[in-house]
Amino acid sequence: MVKREKKIVANNKKARHDYFIEEVYEAGIVLTGTEIKSVRGGKVSIKESYAKIENGEMIIYGMNISPYEHGNRFNTDPLRPRKLLLHKREIRKLIGYTTLKGLTIVPLSMYINEEGRAKLEIAVARGKKNYDKRDDMAKKDASRKIDQAMKQRW
């Protein structure tokens, strides 16, 4: 078996901008044959997606996997809800976070791991207010200016 590094297929930069990340989990995802071929081709968008817990199962909504070009009748709906695979104790912990503390579950990235399986990195997150976002942008801008000044000095 050939070992390969994890290949990032989709990244959700907006999640880190809009939320404070509390805790991160790795989840498997249930896909059909044509969906995994599209994922390996990088035709995935997780920008508007979110996860909910229903009947003790974690479901992700709004994740767009484009139809596979050669999939014909085997292609499924690109925006269909998909089941995430987590341990029962992790799901119980996430139920506590989302119901008691008012947090939400958002995907951070999707990748293909060393064994060739599609994985989704999800996070328990707390929403940022506008002043938090402005504060973060000001900090990034200040550090960028400091870096540029240091570079010019040398």
Side-chain angles (χ1 to χ4, degrees), residues 22-50:
E22 303 283 329
E23 202 167 328
V24 178
Y25 292 92
E26 179 187 64
I29 184 166
V30 177
L31 299 172
T32 63
T34 56
E35 285 176 333
I36 189 65
K37 288 182 180 188
S38 286
V39 167
R40 288 195 175 118
K43 298 188 185 305
V44 182
S45 173
I46 58 173
K47 284 187 176 119
E48 296 89 31
S49 58
Y50 61 96

Side-chain angles (χ1 to χ4, degrees), residues 3 17-18 22 34 37 45 53-54 64 67 71 74 80 103 109 125-126 135 144 148 152:
K3 286 278 184 179
H17 181 262
D18 290 343
E22 303 283 329
T34 56
K37 288 182 180 188
S45 173
I53 299 170
E54 295 176 353
N64 187 354
F74 298 109
R80 76 178 179 90
L103 301 173
S109 65
R126 181 183 315 279
D135 190 37
R144 194 177 303 118
Q148 286 175 351
Q152 290 174 356

Side-chain angles (χ1 to χ4, degrees), residues 49-72:
S49 58
Y50 61 96
K52 284 169 97 176
I53 299 170
E54 295 176 353
N55 302 326
E57 294 180 341
M58 178 78 70
I59 310 288
I60 187 159
Y61 294 94
M63 184 170 76
N64 187 354
I65 298 178
S66 298
Y68 184 58
E69 298 92 35
H70 307 293
N72 57 43

Side-chain angles (χ1 to χ4, degrees), residues 85-151:
L85 305 172
L86 289 163
H87 291 282
K88 192 169 275 194
R89 69 180 182 285
E90 291 175 330
I91 292 176
R92 284 194 200 119
K93 195 173 181 183
L94 289 169
I95 289 172
Y97 278 132
T98 55
T99 56
L100 299 178
K101 297 184 180 177
L103 301 173
T104 187
I105 302 167
V106 293
L108 297 178
S109 65
M110 186 173 195
Y111 58 91
I112 306 291
N113 71 356
E114 297 88 26
E115 289 117 29
R117 306 213 189 280
K119 298 288 182 177
L120 194 66
E121 195 173 69
I122 58 173
V124 177
R126 181 183 315 279
K128 284 185 182 178
K129 306 282 188 225
N130 279 337
Y131 58 84
D132 291 327
K133 293 178 191 176
R134 283 194 295 270
D135 190 37
D136 282 351
M137 287 170 58
K139 285 179 185 174
K140 283 182 187 176
D141 193 38
S143 67
R144 194 177 303 118
K145 285 182 181 178
I146 290 170
D147 289 343
Q148 286 175 351
M150 291 298 285
K151 209 179 254 188

